[in-house]
Amino acid sequence: MLLYYSLATFLSVASLSNAQTWPTNLIGTWSTKSNKTLTGPGFYDPLNDKFIEPDRTGISYSFTSDGHYEEAYYRAIANPQNPACPGGIMQWQHGGWVMNANGSLSLTPIAVDGRQLLSKPCDYEKGIYTRYNQSELFKQYEVLTDPYHGIPRLNLYEFDGTPMQPMYLVYSPPEMLPTTTLNPTTASATATGKSKRGLSQEAPINWKLNFEQKQAVDMAHMINADRLWWIGLAFTGIGGLLYFGPRRLGLRL
Ligand SMILES: *[C@@H]1O[C@H](CO)[C@@H](O)[C@H](O)[C@H]1NC(C)=O
Ligand SMILES: *[C@@H]1O[C@H](CO)[C@@H](O)[C@H](O)[C@H]1NC(C)=O
Ligand SMILES: *[C@@H]1O[C@H](CO)[C@@H](O)[C@H](O)[C@H]1NC(C)=O
């Protein structure tokens, strides 16, 4: 009896701690206030394997009810040496998401599909285009009706509890690229006869090395320097750039 009881307790605790759910109030495409950076085909073009620069910086996440997510980031990067000339970074990932038993959200990208474009127009003529593979843990989230805008609002909290910029519901159901693997590895692309250019040749995964060696990567699409200059001016005006994420990126810029 005692054994039965402890086994039952153990099992229920075990199943509770493994509980994974996909709450429906997250379903949709969310974007920060500028509403210009959005997931889907307007941000990343998988056929030509390139980014499409939004009109404004911002962040967007999409979630589906069956556990797929997509994210789009476009941010300015402060340039302490030359505040009027910040860099810019675009990042795109998709993969699987789940809500854990403790209310946190785990996002696991499809490693070969993520992309990052880093552009520092005053330091380098060309951007650096690489793969990007970053799992994410959000400690908690809230969906509420924004009292000012009257639309659903998503508050995400980073792994350490730091709140992110609020995002607002743009589309439900979400607007996303196909949720399957978009960029098969060079080997399988060759095997299936596709002529997609090999990203790893043009933009080595070990891009930090390139960065340090000042070898500009062959890159056709560079973030619009004029626009970033204006962003830099605006940030200078309000006392510095508040929002950028080297911690999340693991970059030292
Ligand atoms: C955000 O932009 C999309 C696409 O342009 C538009 O359909 C939507 O109404 C906008 N949402 C808000 C809250 O401005
Ligand atoms: C919540 O659960 C996730 C997944 O099991 C785990 O990685 C994370 O550390 C937990 N967070 C806390 C605060 O316990
Ligand atoms: C992607 O990131 C995960 C977690 O950091 C890591 O385990 C995995 O090896 C990475 N995959 C590739 C292809 O870099």
Side-chain angles (χ1 to χ4, degrees):
M1 183 59 197
L2 185 62
L3 179 66
Y4 172 77
Y5 176 74
S6 9
L7 187 62
T9 307
F10 171 76
L11 286 175
S12 67
V13 169
S15 63
L16 185 69
S17 64
N18 287 331
Q20 298 191 319
T21 50
W22 294 269
T24 53
N25 63 356
L26 266 172
I27 309 313
T29 293
W30 305 84
S31 174
T32 47
K33 212 162 119 201
S34 74
N35 194 32
K36 295 292 185 198
T37 297
L38 296 170
T39 58
F43 187 79
Y44 174 61
D45 171 359
L47 287 182
N48 298 302
D49 197 357
K50 66 172 193 178
F51 280 117
I52 300 150
E53 186 189 359
D55 290 343
R56 303 268 299 275
T57 53
I59 299 172
S60 177
Y61 278 83
S62 285
F63 299 94
T64 72
S65 55
D66 58 351
H68 299 288
Y69 83 96
E70 183 178 327
E71 69 181 56
Y73 275 74
Y74 177 34
R75 289 177 292 183
I77 299 169
N79 183 344
Q81 278 78 44
N82 184 358
C85 189
I89 194 160
M90 296 176 73
Q91 292 165 323
W92 183 89
Q93 293 192 113
H94 71 167
W97 74 279
V98 72
M99 185 175 82
N100 305 302
N102 62 13
S104 64
L105 304 175
S106 292
L107 276 57
T108 307
I110 298 170
V112 293
D113 275 358
R115 292 290 182 271
Q116 172 173 290
L117 172 61
L118 177 68
S119 178
K120 302 182 85 188
C122 293
D123 299 345
Y124 303 102
E125 208 176 299
K126 293 174 177 176
I128 299 172
Y129 190 52
T130 53
R131 278 201 191 127
Y132 178 60
N133 165 36
Q134 179 69 63
S135 299
E136 287 163 285
L137 177 70
F138 295 108
K139 191 175 180 186
Q140 65 179 101
Y141 82 95
E142 297 158 349
V143 174
L144 46 96
T145 301
D146 185 78
Y148 183 72
H149 298 96
I151 50 173
R153 170 175 141 184
L154 171 63
N155 296 331
L156 284 176
Y157 296 84
E158 290 176 30
F159 69 97
D160 61 355
T162 308
M164 290 181 57
Q165 289 172 283
M167 284 179 264
Y168 301 91
L169 188 64
V170 182
Y171 301 117
S172 188
E175 182 168 89
M176 299 166 73
L177 286 162
T179 54
T180 49
T181 302
L182 298 172
N183 291 293
T185 59
T186 310
S188 63
T190 307
T192 57
K194 286 185 189 163
S195 61
K196 180 175 273 193
R197 63 198 165 92
L199 184 71
S200 56
Q201 285 167 13
E202 291 180 341
I205 302 304
N206 187 10
W207 65 271
K208 264 188 187 169
L209 187 64
N210 265 345
F211 191 74
E212 280 156 17
Q213 291 174 348
K214 302 197 180 193
Q215 286 174 3
V217 168
D218 178 18
M219 240 299 304
H221 19 286
M222 183 177 148
I223 290 176
N224 185 324
D226 289 344
R227 194 177 291 160
L228 286 170
W229 189 82
W230 282 106
I231 293 169
L233 205 63
F235 279 127
T236 308
I238 62 168
L241 177 59
L242 300 176
Y243 195 86
F244 69 106
R247 185 163 48 93
R248 177 176 180 274
L249 305 172
L251 300 182
R252 250 162 275 238
L253 296 168

